[in-house]
Every structure is written in structure tokens, then in C-alpha cells.
Amino acid sequence: RFQDYYPRGKVETDLSFPVHPIAFNRFTYNIYLVGRRLQKALRAFGPDLVFIGDGYFMKGALLPYLAEWPIVLRFYAYELICFNLHYYLYREGQVCDGNFIEEPARCHRCWYTSWLSLPKHALGILAGVEDRHPALHFSQEYLGSLAFTRYYRTHLAQWLGIPRAIIVYNPFIQGLLSRYNSNIRIIPSGVDIRRFAPRQSGDEPDSPAAILMTGRVNDPLKGFPTVREACDRLHREGLEFKLLITSAYPVDFEAP
């Protein structure tokens, strides 16, 4: 249970099975204490399988601590691959062609654009500065897991071979990780088909079609310009529809 920056492990409802939270704060959430405490708790529990989900850089450092049990490692994004999780070079305006496993120094320079950036983030964490952007969150993971050290960087590829299986979202991430682990399984995000069922052929809609873009429109990586161009074409062809968008921040743009 770590509630600083990105809260995790907070259970707000009664569950039908026992839960054993292990509390951490921004000082104790480091690989030595997280690894030892989890290892101790798991030895007492005696699991048949350990499933590792969220964790960013911490999840890589945990693998050798938990190697005595069968592990399934879940990638929810480009964790351990890209510092900003988007695999996108914003200053260059293009998809990245590297990754943290093979070029950690390059990824470090991409996130920390000056030599003052990392010390500044470290001081902010120590002082308990509120994180308005996940910058301090990522830095806390980076520092706490020792991902900035030569030891972490030289052993990460080896650690990725420990899990019995790694679950990813798509073939692209599978391709990036397949050289480190031979059992990469693709399980995409699911959809509740009881709530979202495809329209049957011949059914006439009662209202104009609604198009939903769930990616952040203010993030160039999400491709909103492409969606807008497509909507412009549909509008010129006389089709009636409405576009619903999501954004991390207020967005100003002129309607077509």
C-alpha cells in the first residue's frame, strides 16, 4: 500500500478473500525494503503463483527477490521499456526507435534533459512536494528501484528471463520483449459485451452515430489530428455524427 504520488494498493470495499496490505511511504518504497518485505510475506503465505502488475522500474528490480516462486509479469504500458511510458520522442515528434533495456543512458537523457533535473526531482520527493505531473512519481520509482545504477541496467535483461510468462497488450511489445523471455502472451484489454454490443446489420440508429476517442487529445502521440481529419471528411460527405473526446487538460480548438 503506497499512497504517495500515484496511489496503489488502496482497498475501498470489502473483498471475499483475505488481503494483507504492506504499507510503504516515499522513503520506505525502495527496492531493499519492498523486496525484503514482499519476500517475507510470500514465504509466510506460500503462493502457487506470483502475479506482478503495476510497478514501472520497481517491477524489474523485484524479480530476483521473488525468483523462488513461479512469476507472471504483466505489462500495462511500456514499463521498463520507456521512461515516459509512451515510447514517443516528443521533442522530435516521432515514435522512439530505442528502449531502456538496451539504451538506458539515452532514456535517462530523454527524461532528465539537464544534469539538474534528477537532483531537483530527488529534493522534491524528500520535501514531499505535490506531484502535479507524474514526473516525481516516475523519479521516485526510478530512484527507489536503483534503475539509475550500472548494476540495475546490466542485470535487467537477465531478470526479464525469470518470469514463467509475460503478458503484454500487443504484438509490438511482444516483439520488444521476446529476446529476453520466450513465453510472451498477448492479452488485449477486454470489453464488456453485455454493455457494448455491435449493431446488427440492418438496424437503423435512432440518433446520429457517436464516435468516441478515448486517448488524450492533447497528447500528439494519441493521433487526434488523424481523427479530426477523418471527421472532416465524414462531415463533407454529409454524414451526421458527434465526436466525444477525452483530455488530461482543457483543450481549445476550432470545430470543423
Side-chain angles (χ1 to χ4, degrees):
R1 178 185 291 158
F2 179 49
Q3 296 301 299
D4 291 336
Y5 306 122
Y6 271 17
R8 64 190 67 183
K10 184 176 182 180
V11 180
E12 297 181 330
T13 186
D14 293 331
L15 300 175
S16 59
F17 49 85
V19 176
H20 179 65
I22 306 175
F24 296 97
N25 57 42
R26 66 181 188 278
F27 301 108
T28 60
Y29 193 71
N30 60 71
I31 185 53
Y32 178 79
L33 292 178
V34 173
R36 292 298 179 91
R37 291 181 184 179
L38 278 178
Q39 192 179 67
K40 180 180 179 180
L42 289 171
R43 284 174 177 168
F45 181 70
D48 297 312
L49 180 74
V50 175
F51 182 91
I52 302 179
D54 196 4
Y56 303 99
F57 288 107
M58 189 66 72
K59 70 197 308 176
L62 279 175
L63 293 173
Y65 282 91
L66 309 181
E68 59 191 90
W69 299 279
I71 296 173
V72 172
L73 187 64
R74 172 58 149 155
F75 278 75
Y76 290 92
Y78 292 104
E79 303 143 290
L80 300 182
I81 297 172
C82 174
F83 214 135
N84 66 32
L85 301 186
H86 296 167
Y87 204 62
Y88 191 73
L89 302 172
Y90 285 92
R91 289 193 296 275
E92 292 84 350
Q94 65 184 32
V95 174
C96 185
D97 58 354
N99 65 75
F100 183 84
I101 306 171
E102 297 183 355
E103 299 179 278
R106 178 189 177 190
C107 294
H108 180 100
R109 293 191 300 270
C110 178
W111 183 257
Y112 297 112
T113 55
S114 76
W115 67 272
L116 285 173
S117 300
L118 182 57
K120 181 179 178 181
H121 286 192
L123 288 174
I125 293 167
L126 291 174
V129 174
E130 182 181 356
D131 195 6
R132 299 182 180 278
H133 180 275
L136 295 185
H137 165 67
F138 291 145
S139 289
Q140 199 285 330
E141 293 271 354
Y142 190 63
L143 293 167
S145 63
L146 302 181
F148 61 94
T149 65
R150 180 181 296 273
Y151 175 80
Y152 183 105
R153 295 175 177 184
T154 55
H155 285 80
L156 180 56
Q158 175 187 345
W159 293 339
L160 288 173
I162 293 175
R164 176 172 293 185
I166 296 178
I167 299 173
V168 299
Y169 271 127
N170 55 56
F172 182 75
I173 303 179
Q174 181 188 45
L176 291 175
L177 296 176
S178 60
R179 69 189 69 179
Y180 311 110
N181 192 295
S182 60
N183 190 15
I184 312 291
R185 303 297 184 93
I186 300 173
I187 303 180
S189 300
V191 175
D192 186 348
I193 59 174
R194 293 170 299 181
R195 296 184 59 193
F196 303 97
R199 181 178 294 146
Q200 299 299 316
S201 177
D203 289 350
E204 293 296 331
D206 297 328
S207 60
I211 301 171
L212 171 64
M213 177 180 172
T214 57
R216 301 177 300 275
V217 297
N218 52 292
D219 187 339
L221 177 61
K222 299 298 183 180
F224 176 69
T226 302
V227 174
R228 180 169 178 174
E229 180 182 351
C231 288
D232 285 341
R233 293 178 60 179
L234 294 175
H235 181 71
R236 289 195 299 268
E237 293 176 10
L239 298 178
E240 294 187 27
F241 63 91
K242 61 180 178 180
L243 173 64
L244 307 175
I245 61 175
T246 59
S247 175
Y249 309 101
V251 177
D252 294 322
F253 62 88
E254 296 180 0

